[in-house]
Each structure stands twice: as structure tokens, then as C-alpha cells.
Amino acid sequence: MFALSLPFVGVLAQAGSGTTGAAVAQPDLWSARQQMALSLGWHIVLSCLGIGFASMVVFTEWLARRRDDEVMLALARRWSRALAVLFPVGAVSGTILSFEFGILWPGLMGTFGDVFGIPFAMEGFAFFIEAIFIGIYIYGWGRLAPKLHMLCGIPIIVSGILAAMFIIMANSWMNHPDGFTVDANGVVTVTDPWAAVTNSGVWIQFAHMLLAAFIVAGFLTAMVYTRPLLKGSKLRYHRLAFMIPFTMAAVCLPVQLFVGDLSVRWVGANQPIKEAAAEAHFPTESHAPEILFGFPQPDGTVKWGIVIPDGLSILTGGSPDTVVPGLDSVAPSDWPPLTVVHWAFDLMVVSGTFLLLPAAWFGFVWWRKRRLPKPRLFLWLGMAAGPLAVLCLEAGWVTTEVGRQPWIVYNTMLVTDAVTAAQGIRYGYYLLLVVYTGLTVATIYALRRLGQAPLPLSARPEDRPDPAGENIGDDDGDQVGEPGATSDDQTAAVPAP
Amino acid sequence: MTAARLVLALLWVAVTAYAVFGGADFGAGFWDLTAGGPRQGRARRALIDHSIGAVWETNHVWLIFVLVLVWTCFPIAFSSIMSTLYIPLTLVAVGIIFRGAGFAFRHTVSEVPSQRLFGAAFAVSSVLTPFFLGCVAGAVATGRVPVGNAVGDPISSWWNPTSLLGGTLAVAVCAFSSAVFLLHDAVRLDPGGDDPAPSDTGRAAREDIPLVTEHRDELVHDFRVRALATAVVTGVIAFAGIFILKADAPALFDGLTGPALPLVLLSAAGGVGTIVLIQRDHVSRARIAAVVAVAAVIWGWGVAQYPYLLEGSLTLEQAAAPTATLTAVAIVATLGLVLLVPSIILLYSLADRDLLEEAHVDE
Ligand code: HDD
Ligand code: HEM
Ligand code: HEM
């Protein structure tokens, strides 16, 4: 089969799009890239919630049942409802991506689909498992025995994490492709379909992504509850709802910064141009300065950057004498868009480091006093942490993806060779722009409506202050719910997310 | 060749699963669209929510799986189809967004106007999405997708008699199978129905869906009529389609009346069988007959087109990835199915015992 079909594949590939180096006339390349960026950038936030938030719901349910804690259980129940909104939205936004791979980048898929498809096939099964158990988990709440119900939560966590790992395998393969040969005519033949899976770049990138998922999900969820806390809510429900996610994110953050550092080194060794673009580093030299922000110029200077002399050499090799490869090692036509990559990278690093502030503050106060920091400033920082974490996430992906330009498959296939030859692509982009705007508004609206639904009484036995409570005293005179009442149907008029 | 045939069979199983289960979920959207105003339609919509709520996302994954299999195992076919048919496929993608998000949001919001808005998004896109998927199938089956990067005509490839037939048939088939499934679910609400008596847990759970249980007889009647009507309508469309295919797609016509004829007849028998079984109140068996009718159409199309992946221009042998990849896919699929099959059985059996039911937030 293999020997037989090879000549055909070669001929067909050339007739079609399956070779590297066959540039396509596509006036709308820009829209195609924007469309990809838009849908990926959208999906990634939802998928982080699908991993981090889902895990947190399951964890909270487990903790609540172990401690027999009604308030916590009500929280987990409420969160599971949010999951019922978020998961489908994440799933449809991911489906769009699979379509776009073919609609926008037929050259990539026609040529390399069989080379890096295996992780996607594995991912397909992970999605199945995740969707099945999410269905059981959300819809079986209160109907399945608690033990069985929690058991069904485990595959959600595992398959979410695996889904991220598999997709990272594919992405990491695009960054350092392997497992195929290219002949003189540019015809690609797969030699090892497992190369994408065993790709050495996977592990660091996966660790970085997974931590990001927990950080983003944690800070975003905690952000929601800073509002009632700032308004002075003394409900234990709100404190828990802030603390559980915030703790998760705060614990992951320092690890993330460490992994980020590994990432930089790895990229520096394997994709030196991406690294050089991220650092806006032009000449290959020792005593390379670290330049924060600023605007790289075509003549090889950086305007208005914050310069730390020798910084880059020290960061890279531990000594000012370390020679760091610069952009000058390849032709300018092989440079990615410098300003975008440089700013994206710096925004990730700076805002990621800034996030340490609320995280460390919280950690310190918790360690000494077992409570939340009192100053309102802390809550404001906690609120800002949500968007900042998303900024890190998006900026990180822009660094990775735009930093790979002009290659779609690093050093192998140009984006211009991969793009579709179809005309009028831009209208699809405009359409999706409108659709995604609507989807964003609708998702936020639905979540807010969910948040405004009254809390079950069981979540508000607030007249007894909990050990972590700062202020002792009555809230607003509510009656405690009936003992043992867990049903969501028993509601009272406290609006709460 | 063996490896290629194997993965092709796997692909076709996935396509069939999507057509049957995913199709029924789309059909539920069709019945939602035609359920009537917010008041009259309430019980019907509650039944629909009850039926597809917990399972539609799983059924949806079959589509993703199909896409992944095609691009991994038949990359040239994938890039040719996706690039030529980018217009209907973009519309499918948008339809999928609206369907999924609309359905999820409708559950969450409680005000009638926004429920109607999201409900409408869900319902309308449930009709448009299978329609465009049917157009895509028609385009592939009639050889209007040539090999290459967007080589086919961007419009006439999918806007032609066979594609329109494919689209219409897809909507009709979805509505048909869904009506049978919904009928089954409605009948099951009564312990005296033709199903075995439900367990205690099942009965307890019923109380949570009072609206449906209360209107049970009405719903049974409604979906009985709908199932019978769509069975007839689908049959008529399919029959009329024969003449369209003869004129517009001779190669496909020859295939369907040649090697695929037994499957075509099987499908017709499934359709007739569904009608007869419903009239005799054997609803469980009618459900099986309906599944046979749908699955046989899909396999009939596959057999009629074999060995071409793109009718007339790309055979299985030309399209298949090298054996190394196909073997790897087979290994992954085997391991995956070992996990998947028990999980799916668990999901469906819990759903069938009414253990999966979302309580509305404000109830
Ligand atoms: C909360 C999120 C978050 C935070 C705090 C950080 N990052 Fe990050 N970073 C990401 C989230 C992220 C990501 C999830 O968006 C990326 C995109 C691709 C990937 O695997 O992770 C990423 C990519 C990424 C890359 C490119 C990897 C590649 O192209 O293969 C580098 C070099 C770094 N990061 C380095 C850092 C450093 C030095 C950080 C802190 C000091 C840092 N990241 C904090
Ligand atoms: C989910 C997080 C991701 C984000 C936010 C992201 C972001 C981006 C951006 C901004 C671009 C446009 C680059 C440019 O045109 O300058 C892009 C392109 C692309 N990305 Fe990603 N990406 C993500 C993950 C992935 C993954 C996991 C894959 C593959 C497995 C992938 C495949 C692609 C492809 C095929 C393109 C188009 C070609 C190109 O421009 O290089 N992306 N992405
Ligand atoms: C690093 C980037 C990505 C991560 C971490 C990621 C992770 C996830 C996760 C956890 C889900 C589960 C759904 C949810 O939680 O809402 C999901 C859904 C999905 N993703 Fe992504 N994804 C990424 C990029 C991509 C790309 C590039 C594609 C396209 C090929 C893709 C395709 C899908 C599909 C088809 C689904 C729907 C699965 C379902 O129906 O359950 N994802 N993704």
C-alpha cells in the first residue's frame, strides 16, 4: 500500500497543496491569521476553565462531603451550574478550530495531517471521556449516590488534563517538527507518526500550559467574588468562593514562573529566532542587554526600551560573557513581527511577576493568621488578577505562535504555503468576529444571570461566624436553613454569584 | 490496503454514529422550532431538554472525531473538501456555535424573552447545520470536489440539485429519527408503557420533570404523529431523490442501484418497519428500526461511492496516509474504544433510567 500509493501522493500533493514551498496567492492571508488568532484566543480561555475550573468544582464537592460542609457543597453545586454553561461553549469553540484547520490551512493539513495527526486522534478520545462524564456529573447531581457522583468527577479532571497535553503535542510539533522526510520536490512523507507524541518539547510546554490553566481559572473565579467581598459581604460562602480558587492560583504561580524560566531556555536553544524576537535582541553578541518593552526598529535598535546592561547574557548563561544569538543570524524576511512578539513576551513576564504580589500577600497572611488580608487594596488586587492572568495567557500564546512566523511548521513550511487559495476568506472572518462578539456577551450575560439567582438557604447559615471570619456578628438576620436542607430549591433572597 | 480499509470502516462507523445520535439531537432542535409558542410548546420543549440535555455533547464529539480521522488518515481528501467547501462549512461551524451555546444558555436564563432568544438560536441552527452538512455530502458524492487547494467551484460545488437534496434529506432524517426517539422517551414516562417497569430511582426522578409527566399522553400523541409524518415525508423525499440523482449524479445513482442496492432496500424497510411498529405501539423496536433506516443510508452512500473518497478523482488508495500512520491510528483507536465504549454505555444507561436531569436554577 505504502509503496504503491507514494507516487500518487506525490503527484496529487503537487497538483493540490501538499508540498512545502508552493506559495498560494491569498490576498486575505491577514484575515485568515486574524481569524485563527481570534478563535484560538477565545477557545483557550474556555479550555483553561474546562481544565482548572472543572477540577476545582470536583475538588470542592469532595472537600464539602468529607467535611460535611453544607455551605461548601452549595458552592460546588452552584459552580457546577456555571460549568454547564462554560463547557458547551468551550466545546463548540474548539470544534470551530478543527474546521478552521481545514478551511484556512489546507496546505498544512494536506501535507502534514498524517504526520502530526496522532495526538489529535488521542485528543478525540479525551474529549469523548470528558464530555461523557461532564454530562453525568452535571446532570446526575443529587440523583446519583454521592460517592458515585464524585467518582465520575475524576475522569473529567484526567481527560481535561490529557486533552491539553495532546493538543500541546501537536503545537509543540509545529514548533520543532520531526518524523518525516522532504524530497527534492518538496514532497513530504511521514516516517514516524509517533514523533509528535514523543516530541521532546512537549513536557516543558505542557507543564507551563497546565499551570496556566489552573492560574487563569483560579484568578478568574476568585475575581467574581471580590465584588461581594468589597461590598462588605460577611457570608462564609463568599469567602470560601474567593479563597478556594485564589489559593489554587497562588500556589501554582511561583511554580509557573520557574517553569517559564525553563521555557525561555528551551526556546532559546531550539528556536533562537523566536527567543531573539521576544527579547528584541538584534546582534549575536556577548554582554547582551535585557530590553524591556520599547519598539524594535528595522535598523536593529530598540526605541524607548528599558535597558538592563548585560541582563540577557546573564539570564541566558549565568555570565555577562555568554553569547546570545540575535536576529542578525537569519535574513530579515525570516523574522517574525518583532514588536508584537517582544511586547507579548514582556507583558507575560511582567504581569506574571506582578501577580506574585497578591499571591504572596495572601500566602503570608494566611500562614500567620489563617485569614484573608484585611485591606481593601488586597481585594482590588485580587480583582485585577483575573484579567491579568488572562493577559499572561494570551500574551504567552502570541509569543509562541506569532514568534514562529513566518513559519507554520518551523523551518519547514511557510504560512503562505499553507493558506487556502479560496477567495473571500475575509468575509468569513468578519462573520466570526460578529459571532464571537455575540458569544462573549451572551456567555457573560448567562453567567451573570446564574450569579443573580438566589442562594440556597443551606449556603447561608451565617449567624455563626467561622474561624476565619474577621468580623463577628449578625449579617442581616437571616434564618438558618432547615437542618440538612441541601436542595437548591430552598432559596432566599440573597443574590450572590 | 487492509489498513486503509480498516480506518475507512472506522471512519464510517463514526460518521454513522454522528448521523444517528448527533442527527437526532439536531432533529430535536427542529421539533423545538416547530413546538409552538412559549406556552403551548412548554411541555414539548421540556421533553426535548430532558431527552438531549445530558447526551448531546457526547454525540457531538463524533463530528470532531470524524474530522480528526479524515485529516490524519486521508489528508489530501480533508484539505480538498475543506478548502473547496469553505462556505457551507463555515456556516456549519457557525451553526454549531449557535446550537450548542443557545441550548446551554436557554437552561441558565429564566426570563422568557432571553429564553426565547437563545431557544431560537438553538432551534434555527439545529435545522441549518444538518442542511449544510447534507450539502457538503452531496458535493463530495457527486464529484464536485476536485483534488487540491480550493480548486472546486466555491458555490456550485455545494449549491446544486444533489446537494440540495442532500441537505433536505439530512433535515428530514434528523427530524424523523428524533421524533421516534422523543416518542420513545415520552412513552417511557409511563410505567405501563412498553418498556420494563422502571426502578425506584427512576420513578423518584420522574417527579422532577412534572411538566413532562403531566402532559405525557399529549406528548406521546404529538410525537407519534410527528414520527409517522416524517417517516412518510422522508420516504417521499428519498424516492423523489432517485430521479434527481439519475439526472445530476449518474455515478452515484449507478452505485446506489448497483452494489449498494441491498442497503438502500434495507433503509426503506427500516422506514416502513418504523411506521408499522409505531402503529402497533412497539416503540422500543420502532426506535431500532429507525436507527437501521438511517444507518443503512449512510452505508449505502459509502458503498455506492467506494473506492472513491472524492467521487471520480481520489480513490481510497490514493488518499490514504502511509501505513505507519494508519497503524498508529488503529492502535490509538483500539485503546480509545476500550475506554470509550463502557463510558458511553454508562452514560446512555444512566440517561435511560432518568438519572440525568438538570434542575432549573430558579425552580
Ligand atoms: C498564567 C499564565 C502565564 C504566566 C504567569 C507565564 N506564562 Fe509563559 N506562557 C503562558 C502562560 C503564562 C502560555 C500558556 O500562554 C504559553 C503559551 C504557549 C505555552 O505553552 O504556554 C506561554 C509561553 C511561554 C513561552 C514560549 C514557549 C514556546 O514558544 O514554546 C516562554 C518563553 C514563556 N512562556 C516564558 C515565561 C516566563 C519567563 C514567565 C514568567 C516570568 C511566564 N512565561 C509566565
Ligand atoms: C489555544 C491557544 C492558542 C492561541 C491563543 C494561539 C494563537 C495564535 C495566533 C495569535 C496565531 C496567529 C499568528 C500570526 O498570524 O502571526 C496563531 C496561528 C496558528 N496557530 Fe495557534 N494558538 C494557540 C494554540 C494553538 C495550537 C494548540 C495549535 C495546533 C495544534 C495551533 C495552531 C495554529 C495554526 C495552524 C496557526 C495558523 C498559522 C500560523 O499563523 O502560524 N495554535 N495561533
Ligand atoms: C493549548 C491549547 C488548547 C487547550 C489547552 C485545549 C483544551 C481543551 C479542553 C480542556 C477542552 C474541553 C472543553 C472545555 O473545557 O470547554 C477543549 C475542547 C475542544 N478543543 Fe481545545 N484546547 C486547545 C486548543 C485546541 C485546538 C488548537 C483545537 C483544534 C484543533 C482544539 C479543539 C477542541 C475541540 C474540537 C474541543 C471540543 C471537544 C468536545 O466537544 O468536548 N483545541 N479543548
Side-chain angles (χ1 to χ4, degrees), chain B residues 147-271:
Chain B
V147 171
N149 183 347
V151 177
D153 188 289
I155 307 286
S156 72
S157 55
W158 60 279
W159 191 259
N160 57 64
T162 307
S163 284
L164 297 179
L165 170 69
T168 316
L169 199 58
V171 174
V173 166
C174 292
F176 160 68
S177 57
S178 166
V180 180
F181 286 13
L182 287 166
L183 170 62
H184 178 261
D185 284 345
V187 167
R188 221 163 28 99
L189 290 171
D190 184 312
D194 76 336
D195 261 28
S199 65
D200 288 345
T201 37
R203 205 163 307 172
R206 294 257 152 80
E207 286 153 25
D208 298 324
I209 35 173
L211 193 61
V212 176
T213 324
E214 222 172 83
H215 294 81
R216 186 245 170 201
D217 292 341
E218 227 173 281
L219 288 169
V220 169
H221 171 79
D222 284 355
F223 283 101
R224 200 159 180 271
V225 173
R226 283 166 167 72
L228 292 172
T230 42
V232 174
V233 170
T234 311
V236 171
I237 296 175
F239 187 72
I242 296 178
F243 299 98
I244 296 180
L245 290 187
K246 192 158 189 224
D248 186 55
L252 183 64
F253 178 82
D254 290 345
L256 286 173
T257 51
L261 189 61
L263 285 161
V264 173
L265 295 178
L266 178 65
S267 175

Side-chain angles (χ1 to χ4, degrees), chain A residues 1-2 4-6 8-9 12-13 15-17 24 35 77-78 81 84-85 87-89 91-93 95-96 98-103 105-107 109-118 120-125 127-129 131-141 143-144 148 152 189-194 417-425 428 431-432 435-436 439 442-443 445-447 449-450 453-454 488-489 491, chain B residues 1-2 4 49 53-65 67-69 71-73 75-76 78-80 82-83 85-86 89-94 96-101 103-105 107-111 114 118 133 147-151 201 205 208 313-314 316-329 331-337 339-340 343-344 346-347 350 354-363:
Chain A
M1 168 71 214
F2 178 54
L4 247 180
S5 66
L6 199 55
F8 279 111
V9 172
L12 289 165
S17 50
V24 174
Q35 182 178 334
R77 178 67 182 122
R78 177 60 64 93
R81 294 234 163 92
V85 174
F87 184 78
V89 178
V92 293
S93 67
T95 311
I96 306 320
S98 313
F99 276 82
E100 285 172 344
F101 271 25
I103 292 176
W105 317 106
M109 302 319 284
T111 313
F112 290 107
D114 51 358
V115 185
F116 79 137
I118 296 301
F120 288 108
M122 309 203 307
E123 201 207 9
F125 285 104
F127 287 152
F128 262 124
I129 301 295
I132 289 172
F133 285 96
I134 286 256
I136 297 180
Y137 188 81
I138 293 173
Y139 288 84
W141 195 296
R143 290 186 173 73
L144 303 178
L148 177 64
C152 288
T189 312
V190 54
T191 53
D192 178 13
W194 298 101
D417 299 344
V419 71
T420 176
Q423 299 307 300
I425 286 300
L431 177 65
L432 280 187
V435 170
Y436 274 106
L439 191 58
T443 308
Y445 171 76
L447 287 174
R449 297 304 303 163
L450 192 63
D488 294 286
D489 300 339
T491 50
Chain B
M1 243 352 238
T2 342
D49 280 0
V55 295
W56 73 267
E57 292 191 84
T58 300
N59 299 339
H60 169 77
V61 182
W62 286 112
L63 172 65
I64 295 154
F65 194 58
L67 291 171
V68 169
L69 277 183
W71 85 52
T72 308
C73 303
I76 299 171
F78 181 78
S79 59
S80 307
M82 300 301 280
S83 58
L85 300 174
Y86 69 104
L89 286 167
T90 301
L91 296 174
V92 167
V94 171
I96 285 172
I97 296 187
F98 281 128
R99 197 274 296 243
F103 187 74
F105 295 163
H107 275 265
T108 311
V109 298
S110 45
E111 303 84 351
S114 30
F118 292 133
L133 280 173
V147 171
N149 183 347
V151 177
T201 37
D208 298 324
S313 59
L314 187 73
L316 173 62
E317 205 170 322
Q318 293 164 337
T323 316
T325 300
L326 302 182
T327 314
V329 169
I331 293 172
V332 170
T334 311
L335 294 178
L337 286 171
L339 289 175
L340 176 61
S343 309
I344 286 203
L346 177 70
L347 174 70
L350 290 176
D354 292 328
L355 285 174
L356 303 180
E357 176 68 32
E358 194 188 34
H360 284 254
V361 180
D362 293 354
E363 263 167 17

Side-chain angles (χ1 to χ4, degrees), chain A residues 175 205 208-209 212 215-216 253 256-257 260-261 263-264 267 274 345 348-349 352-353 389 392-393 396-397 400:
Chain A
N175 289 333
Q205 209 189 335
H208 202 52
M209 176 69 237
I215 293 171
V216 167
L253 190 68
Q256 177 74 323
L257 301 189
D261 185 56
S263 230
V264 176
V267 171
K274 184 189 278 185
F345 181 72
M348 167 171 58
V349 175
T353 311
C392 276
L393 176 76
W397 276 105
T400 303

Side-chain angles (χ1 to χ4, degrees), chain A residues 33 36-37 40-41 43-44 101 105 108 116 120 167-168 170-171 174 337 394 397-398 401-402 404-405 407-408 415:
Chain A
R33 294 161 70 174
M36 201 67 209
L40 282 159
H43 177 67
I44 192 64
F101 271 25
W105 317 106
L108 170 70
F116 79 137
F120 288 108
I167 200 81
I168 289 292
N171 186 258
M174 288 166 55
E394 301 287 1
W397 276 105
V398 169
E401 302 291 295
V402 181
R404 188 182 57 239
Q405 304 297 316
W407 304 102
I408 193 166
V415 173

